[in-house]
Amino acid sequence: MPEAPKNTHKPTTDYNLELKNKKTLQFIEDVTSNADEVQKKVLEEILSRNAHVEYLQTHGLNGHTDRETFKTIMPVITYEDIQPYVDRIANGDTSPILSSHPISEFLTSSGTSGGERKLMPTIEEELGRRSLLYSLLMPVMSQFVPGLDKGKGMYFLFIKSEAKTPSGLVARPVLTSYYKSTHFKDRPYDPYTNYTSPNETILCPDSYQSMYSQMLCGLCQHKEVLRVGAVFASGFIRAIKFLEKHWRFLCNDIRTGTIDSQITDQSVREAVMKILKPDPKLADFIEAECSKDSWQGIITRLWPNTKYVDVIVTGTMSQYIPTLDYYTNGLPLVCTMYASSECYFGVNLNPLCKPSEVSYTLIPTMAYFEFLPVQRNNGVNSSISVPKTLNEKEQQELVDLVDVKLGQEYELVVTTYSGLYRYRVGDVLRVAGFKNNAPQFNFICRKNVVLCIDSDKTDEVELQNAVKNAVNHLLPFDATLAEYTSYADTTTIPGHYVLYWELSLNGTTPIPPSVFEDCCLTLEESLNSVYRQGRVCDKSIGPLEIKIVEPGTFDKLMDYAISLGASINQYKTPRCVKFAPIVELLNSRAVSSFFSPKCPKWFPGHKQWINMN
């Protein structure tokens, strides 16, 4: 995730970048050297300020702020455990339920609960902690790539739709919250955050106008661009595909010094016109590059001074690495930070490492961190299944930040200033090393997630329920689903879900294509709101596809798995596949293919709010 962009107001006369960087790097040294002491103080501060909130009193903490009492009394929880408290706040209860500070808004997590986004309560001061983590990124990066203050960054950043709870509190994604905050709007001068995109283009709610205007500004300033990026790898590739589709219009704008009439947002037009000037020579250059048969290396061809690409390529985003390498001629892919709606966690102190070696150093001031040991199941699947509820022994197995073991995998548990106490984030991390006394972690995966294209996360249970709903369309034809699996296909842009179905056909009436299309749509309607938003609003996910495979295909799949060493007694069909030879096997036996004929239904907010807003 890139640092939040900042305005480039003129520097004051006493601005000293070298000194500022030195202080920032010293801060990292200090907090990682004294990680355990910092963590102890963070927990004491959280518990003392929230001593009288209902949640802590209900569990009988009685004002204690020490670790031992906290760990003995407070349970390790999931979202479902605090959802009743969250619902009360969302519905207007202003008493100190989770936090002594007023809840300022809800951050919508990309994880889901009952098909809806999770609502993470937050308080105003958390914006300061997020700003702090952002401020660490470029001083770290400057150690590896000098001179980044001499040019600009071209980042494709967007706000997403928001909703209001019945109480009037806003519910929106964490980056939308940040970009709309005073921390973004009134930010001080910083040469590292000199961006090609004016604020108005980022804050434009129309995704087409926002993308078009950001791309136009980036092209106009192409020689000044030293780094490029987006939040996720998938988002950056979508920007490239957008350029591939619209470069002729963009060239016309640059040639004539006018903006396409489809850009109707007046504030966007005014901001772009401060940058856009008639430049036929630049238009000819862009046209010549974009007209070539191959788009390999298009980033370095159009933005020749680019030194690296700043995108998340860890976890499920690693599937996009080959595509990024193709378009960027193998520029370094940099993952700068690790964050979520619940909390911002840490930074990558070795940003030019290989994507497969990325590790994040958790900054001890951000929250109180604990770690639940995870035992990996040996399966075909890369998702890790973790029990929802913990017994007393498992609760006691949690360890503190400085007590994790090298090579061990853990589920991250956080206690935050905003009112989450021993909350299971759902991320599985592996200890890769240490920075002084603070551990560094590889991000392994989200627990239980089997499918992901963008910010969507679909787990096995949700997929099973969606399939169950869809196969009802086959009943009138006396057909049943014998077996299935799934695949996140990112060879298309945007990527899309593919389900491989093997059918048992007992009836004689052929199944019309429209029935399979209905199955596709029912699957999509049954998936969570994050997936449906990606399909409907963000256009970050393509239509779901069902591929019907020949009878006996899944027997072949089992034979292949056994040939690789799987136990015939323990083998079960994987509900998601990623291994290329398996995908090839399934595709080779596909006899027909069907796509969802339209987008599923989606609207901002939770279903229960629909009649309240």
PDB file of all heavy atoms in Angstrom, residues 159-180:
ATOM      1  N   ILE A 159     -11.261   6.730  -4.029  1.00  0.00           N
ATOM      2  CA  ILE A 159     -12.179   6.583  -2.901  1.00  0.00           C
ATOM      3  C   ILE A 159     -13.288   5.624  -3.327  1.00  0.00           C
ATOM      4  O   ILE A 159     -13.561   5.465  -4.523  1.00  0.00           O
ATOM      5  CB  ILE A 159     -12.778   7.936  -2.450  1.00  0.00           C
ATOM      6  CG1 ILE A 159     -13.558   8.602  -3.588  1.00  0.00           C
ATOM      7  CG2 ILE A 159     -11.679   8.849  -1.929  1.00  0.00           C
ATOM      8  CD1 ILE A 159     -14.382   9.794  -3.154  1.00  0.00           C
ATOM      9  N   LYS A 160     -13.882   4.985  -2.353  1.00  0.00           N
ATOM     10  CA  LYS A 160     -14.970   4.049  -2.646  1.00  0.00           C
ATOM     11  C   LYS A 160     -16.248   4.544  -1.984  1.00  0.00           C
ATOM     12  O   LYS A 160     -16.237   5.471  -1.173  1.00  0.00           O
ATOM     13  CB  LYS A 160     -14.602   2.640  -2.180  1.00  0.00           C
ATOM     14  CG  LYS A 160     -13.420   2.071  -2.962  1.00  0.00           C
ATOM     15  CD  LYS A 160     -13.328   0.567  -2.828  1.00  0.00           C
ATOM     16  CE  LYS A 160     -12.230   0.014  -3.732  1.00  0.00           C
ATOM     17  NZ  LYS A 160     -12.195  -1.459  -3.722  1.00  0.00           N
ATOM     18  N   SER A 161     -17.347   3.899  -2.331  1.00  0.00           N
ATOM     19  CA  SER A 161     -18.651   4.340  -1.836  1.00  0.00           C
ATOM     20  C   SER A 161     -18.727   4.182  -0.319  1.00  0.00           C
ATOM     21  O   SER A 161     -18.074   3.329   0.276  1.00  0.00           O
ATOM     22  CB  SER A 161     -19.767   3.546  -2.498  1.00  0.00           C
ATOM     23  OG  SER A 161     -19.570   2.175  -2.286  1.00  0.00           O
ATOM     24  N   GLU A 162     -19.516   5.024   0.299  1.00  0.00           N
ATOM     25  CA  GLU A 162     -19.698   4.963   1.749  1.00  0.00           C
ATOM     26  C   GLU A 162     -21.185   4.967   2.067  1.00  0.00           C
ATOM     27  O   GLU A 162     -22.021   5.300   1.230  1.00  0.00           O
ATOM     28  CB  GLU A 162     -18.983   6.133   2.410  1.00  0.00           C
ATOM     29  CG  GLU A 162     -19.368   7.490   1.866  1.00  0.00           C
ATOM     30  CD  GLU A 162     -18.467   8.595   2.415  1.00  0.00           C
ATOM     31  OE1 GLU A 162     -17.232   8.472   2.345  1.00  0.00           O
ATOM     32  OE2 GLU A 162     -19.019   9.598   2.891  1.00  0.00           O
ATOM     33  N   ALA A 163     -21.493   4.577   3.271  1.00  0.00           N
ATOM     34  CA  ALA A 163     -22.886   4.533   3.714  1.00  0.00           C
ATOM     35  C   ALA A 163     -22.974   5.171   5.090  1.00  0.00           C
ATOM     36  O   ALA A 163     -21.949   5.425   5.740  1.00  0.00           O
ATOM     37  CB  ALA A 163     -23.384   3.086   3.763  1.00  0.00           C
ATOM     38  N   LYS A 164     -24.186   5.443   5.520  1.00  0.00           N
ATOM     39  CA  LYS A 164     -24.404   5.949   6.883  1.00  0.00           C
ATOM     40  C   LYS A 164     -25.189   4.921   7.671  1.00  0.00           C
ATOM     41  O   LYS A 164     -26.167   4.352   7.194  1.00  0.00           O
ATOM     42  CB  LYS A 164     -25.156   7.284   6.842  1.00  0.00           C
ATOM     43  CG  LYS A 164     -24.253   8.466   6.578  1.00  0.00           C
ATOM     44  CD  LYS A 164     -24.910   9.777   6.971  1.00  0.00           C
ATOM     45  CE  LYS A 164     -23.910  10.926   6.862  1.00  0.00           C
ATOM     46  NZ  LYS A 164     -24.511  12.217   7.242  1.00  0.00           N
ATOM     47  N   THR A 165     -24.732   4.689   8.894  1.00  0.00           N
ATOM     48  CA  THR A 165     -25.457   3.794   9.787  1.00  0.00           C
ATOM     49  C   THR A 165     -26.713   4.510  10.278  1.00  0.00           C
ATOM     50  O   THR A 165     -26.826   5.735  10.136  1.00  0.00           O
ATOM     51  CB  THR A 165     -24.574   3.410  10.987  1.00  0.00           C
ATOM     52  OG1 THR A 165     -24.345   4.591  11.769  1.00  0.00           O
ATOM     53  CG2 THR A 165     -23.234   2.840  10.534  1.00  0.00           C
ATOM     54  N   PRO A 166     -27.650   3.777  10.856  1.00  0.00           N
ATOM     55  CA  PRO A 166     -28.859   4.433  11.386  1.00  0.00           C
ATOM     56  C   PRO A 166     -28.553   5.562  12.372  1.00  0.00           C
ATOM     57  O   PRO A 166     -29.314   6.516  12.491  1.00  0.00           O
ATOM     58  CB  PRO A 166     -29.606   3.278  12.065  1.00  0.00           C
ATOM     59  CG  PRO A 166     -29.191   2.069  11.295  1.00  0.00           C
ATOM     60  CD  PRO A 166     -27.750   2.305  10.922  1.00  0.00           C
ATOM     61  N   SER A 167     -27.383   5.469  13.050  1.00  0.00           N
ATOM     62  CA  SER A 167     -27.010   6.509  14.018  1.00  0.00           C
ATOM     63  C   SER A 167     -26.450   7.754  13.335  1.00  0.00           C
ATOM     64  O   SER A 167     -26.226   8.770  13.988  1.00  0.00           O
ATOM     65  CB  SER A 167     -25.952   5.961  14.978  1.00  0.00           C
ATOM     66  OG  SER A 167     -24.740   5.700  14.285  1.00  0.00           O
ATOM     67  N   GLY A 168     -26.183   7.671  12.043  1.00  0.00           N
ATOM     68  CA  GLY A 168     -25.604   8.794  11.321  1.00  0.00           C
ATOM     69  C   GLY A 168     -24.101   8.714  11.151  1.00  0.00           C
ATOM     70  O   GLY A 168     -23.505   9.535  10.457  1.00  0.00           O
ATOM     71  N   LEU A 169     -23.454   7.703  11.781  1.00  0.00           N
ATOM     72  CA  LEU A 169     -22.016   7.535  11.603  1.00  0.00           C
ATOM     73  C   LEU A 169     -21.725   6.996  10.208  1.00  0.00           C
ATOM     74  O   LEU A 169     -22.460   6.153   9.690  1.00  0.00           O
ATOM     75  CB  LEU A 169     -21.454   6.565  12.654  1.00  0.00           C
ATOM     76  CG  LEU A 169     -21.386   7.076  14.100  1.00  0.00           C
ATOM     77  CD1 LEU A 169     -20.945   5.951  15.027  1.00  0.00           C
ATOM     78  CD2 LEU A 169     -20.430   8.260  14.212  1.00  0.00           C
ATOM     79  N   VAL A 170     -20.658   7.483   9.621  1.00  0.00           N
ATOM     80  CA  VAL A 170     -20.272   7.036   8.281  1.00  0.00           C
ATOM     81  C   VAL A 170     -19.606   5.669   8.377  1.00  0.00           C
ATOM     82  O   VAL A 170     -18.870   5.386   9.324  1.00  0.00           O
ATOM     83  CB  VAL A 170     -19.304   8.053   7.637  1.00  0.00           C
ATOM     84  CG1 VAL A 170     -18.790   7.544   6.301  1.00  0.00           C
ATOM     85  CG2 VAL A 170     -20.001   9.388   7.438  1.00  0.00           C
ATOM     86  N   ALA A 171     -19.856   4.827   7.389  1.00  0.00           N
ATOM     87  CA  ALA A 171     -19.175   3.535   7.256  1.00  0.00           C
ATOM     88  C   ALA A 171     -18.510   3.504   5.885  1.00  0.00           C
ATOM     89  O   ALA A 171     -19.185   3.636   4.862  1.00  0.00           O
ATOM     90  CB  ALA A 171     -20.174   2.391   7.390  1.00  0.00           C
ATOM     91  N   ARG A 172     -17.176   3.363   5.860  1.00  0.00           N
ATOM     92  CA  ARG A 172     -16.449   3.432   4.595  1.00  0.00           C
ATOM     93  C   ARG A 172     -15.095   2.738   4.732  1.00  0.00           C
ATOM     94  O   ARG A 172     -14.605   2.530   5.853  1.00  0.00           O
ATOM     95  CB  ARG A 172     -16.245   4.886   4.180  1.00  0.00           C
ATOM     96  CG  ARG A 172     -15.546   5.742   5.221  1.00  0.00           C
ATOM     97  CD  ARG A 172     -15.659   7.221   4.874  1.00  0.00           C
ATOM     98  NE  ARG A 172     -15.083   8.076   5.902  1.00  0.00           N
ATOM     99  CZ  ARG A 172     -15.196   9.396   5.924  1.00  0.00           C
ATOM    100  NH1 ARG A 172     -15.865  10.014   4.958  1.00  0.00           N
ATOM    101  NH2 ARG A 172     -14.650  10.122   6.875  1.00  0.00           N
ATOM    102  N   PRO A 173     -14.462   2.395   3.599  1.00  0.00           N
ATOM    103  CA  PRO A 173     -13.143   1.769   3.657  1.00  0.00           C
ATOM    104  C   PRO A 173     -12.100   2.694   4.288  1.00  0.00           C
ATOM    105  O   PRO A 173     -12.221   3.914   4.234  1.00  0.00           O
ATOM    106  CB  PRO A 173     -12.811   1.487   2.187  1.00  0.00           C
ATOM    107  CG  PRO A 173     -14.141   1.449   1.498  1.00  0.00           C
ATOM    108  CD  PRO A 173     -14.993   2.438   2.227  1.00  0.00           C
ATOM    109  N   VAL A 174     -11.049   2.092   4.834  1.00  0.00           N
ATOM    110  CA  VAL A 174     -10.073   2.847   5.605  1.00  0.00           C
ATOM    111  C   VAL A 174      -9.346   3.891   4.745  1.00  0.00           C
ATOM    112  O   VAL A 174      -9.073   5.008   5.214  1.00  0.00           O
ATOM    113  CB  VAL A 174      -9.067   1.900   6.306  1.00  0.00           C
ATOM    114  CG1 VAL A 174      -8.245   1.089   5.317  1.00  0.00           C
ATOM    115  CG2 VAL A 174      -8.147   2.670   7.252  1.00  0.00           C
ATOM    116  N   LEU A 175      -9.025   3.565   3.494  1.00  0.00           N
ATOM    117  CA  LEU A 175      -8.327   4.541   2.659  1.00  0.00           C
ATOM    118  C   LEU A 175      -9.240   5.685   2.257  1.00  0.00           C
ATOM    119  O   LEU A 175      -8.802   6.839   2.164  1.00  0.00           O
ATOM    120  CB  LEU A 175      -7.735   3.868   1.422  1.00  0.00           C
ATOM    121  CG  LEU A 175      -6.517   2.991   1.702  1.00  0.00           C
ATOM    122  CD1 LEU A 175      -6.070   2.271   0.438  1.00  0.00           C
ATOM    123  CD2 LEU A 175      -5.373   3.796   2.286  1.00  0.00           C
ATOM    124  N   THR A 176     -10.513   5.399   2.022  1.00  0.00           N
ATOM    125  CA  THR A 176     -11.471   6.468   1.741  1.00  0.00           C
ATOM    126  C   THR A 176     -11.555   7.412   2.934  1.00  0.00           C
ATOM    127  O   THR A 176     -11.577   8.631   2.782  1.00  0.00           O
ATOM    128  CB  THR A 176     -12.854   5.879   1.418  1.00  0.00           C
ATOM    129  OG1 THR A 176     -12.742   5.057   0.254  1.00  0.00           O
ATOM    130  CG2 THR A 176     -13.882   6.969   1.174  1.00  0.00           C
ATOM    131  N   SER A 177     -11.587   6.841   4.122  1.00  0.00           N
ATOM    132  CA  SER A 177     -11.597   7.647   5.345  1.00  0.00           C
ATOM    133  C   SER A 177     -10.364   8.545   5.410  1.00  0.00           C
ATOM    134  O   SER A 177     -10.463   9.741   5.711  1.00  0.00           O
ATOM    135  CB  SER A 177     -11.634   6.726   6.570  1.00  0.00           C
ATOM    136  OG  SER A 177     -11.283   7.424   7.744  1.00  0.00           O
ATOM    137  N   TYR A 178      -9.205   7.978   5.090  1.00  0.00           N
ATOM    138  CA  TYR A 178      -7.971   8.742   5.197  1.00  0.00           C
ATOM    139  C   TYR A 178      -7.909   9.859   4.168  1.00  0.00           C
ATOM    140  O   TYR A 178      -7.565  11.004   4.484  1.00  0.00           O
ATOM    141  CB  TYR A 178      -6.763   7.805   5.048  1.00  0.00           C
ATOM    142  CG  TYR A 178      -5.493   8.462   5.526  1.00  0.00           C
ATOM    143  CD1 TYR A 178      -5.123   8.396   6.858  1.00  0.00           C
ATOM    144  CD2 TYR A 178      -4.685   9.185   4.659  1.00  0.00           C
ATOM    145  CE1 TYR A 178      -3.970   9.021   7.317  1.00  0.00           C
ATOM    146  CE2 TYR A 178      -3.532   9.800   5.098  1.00  0.00           C
ATOM    147  CZ  TYR A 178      -3.181   9.716   6.435  1.00  0.00           C
ATOM    148  OH  TYR A 178      -2.054  10.351   6.888  1.00  0.00           O
ATOM    149  N   TYR A 179      -8.263   9.547   2.925  1.00  0.00           N
ATOM    150  CA  TYR A 179      -8.178  10.561   1.874  1.00  0.00           C
ATOM    151  C   TYR A 179      -9.164  11.696   2.090  1.00  0.00           C
ATOM    152  O   TYR A 179      -8.930  12.817   1.647  1.00  0.00           O
ATOM    153  CB  TYR A 179      -8.415   9.936   0.496  1.00  0.00           C
ATOM    154  CG  TYR A 179      -7.378   8.905   0.102  1.00  0.00           C
ATOM    155  CD1 TYR A 179      -7.666   7.934  -0.852  1.00  0.00           C
ATOM    156  CD2 TYR A 179      -6.115   8.890   0.682  1.00  0.00           C
ATOM    157  CE1 TYR A 179      -6.723   6.986  -1.214  1.00  0.00           C
ATOM    158  CE2 TYR A 179      -5.176   7.950   0.333  1.00  0.00           C
ATOM    159  CZ  TYR A 179      -5.482   6.999  -0.619  1.00  0.00           C
ATOM    160  OH  TYR A 179      -4.552   6.064  -0.968  1.00  0.00           O
ATOM    161  N   LYS A 180     -10.266  11.441   2.779  1.00  0.00           N
ATOM    162  CA  LYS A 180     -11.262  12.487   3.028  1.00  0.00           C
ATOM    163  C   LYS A 180     -11.009  13.237   4.327  1.00  0.00           C
ATOM    164  O   LYS A 180     -11.739  14.170   4.667  1.00  0.00           O
ATOM    165  CB  LYS A 180     -12.668  11.867   3.054  1.00  0.00           C
ATOM    166  CG  LYS A 180     -13.174  11.457   1.669  1.00  0.00           C
ATOM    167  CD  LYS A 180     -14.648  11.104   1.727  1.00  0.00           C
ATOM    168  CE  LYS A 180     -15.242  11.011   0.333  1.00  0.00           C
ATOM    169  NZ  LYS A 180     -16.700  10.819   0.370  1.00  0.00           N
TER     170      LYS A 180
END
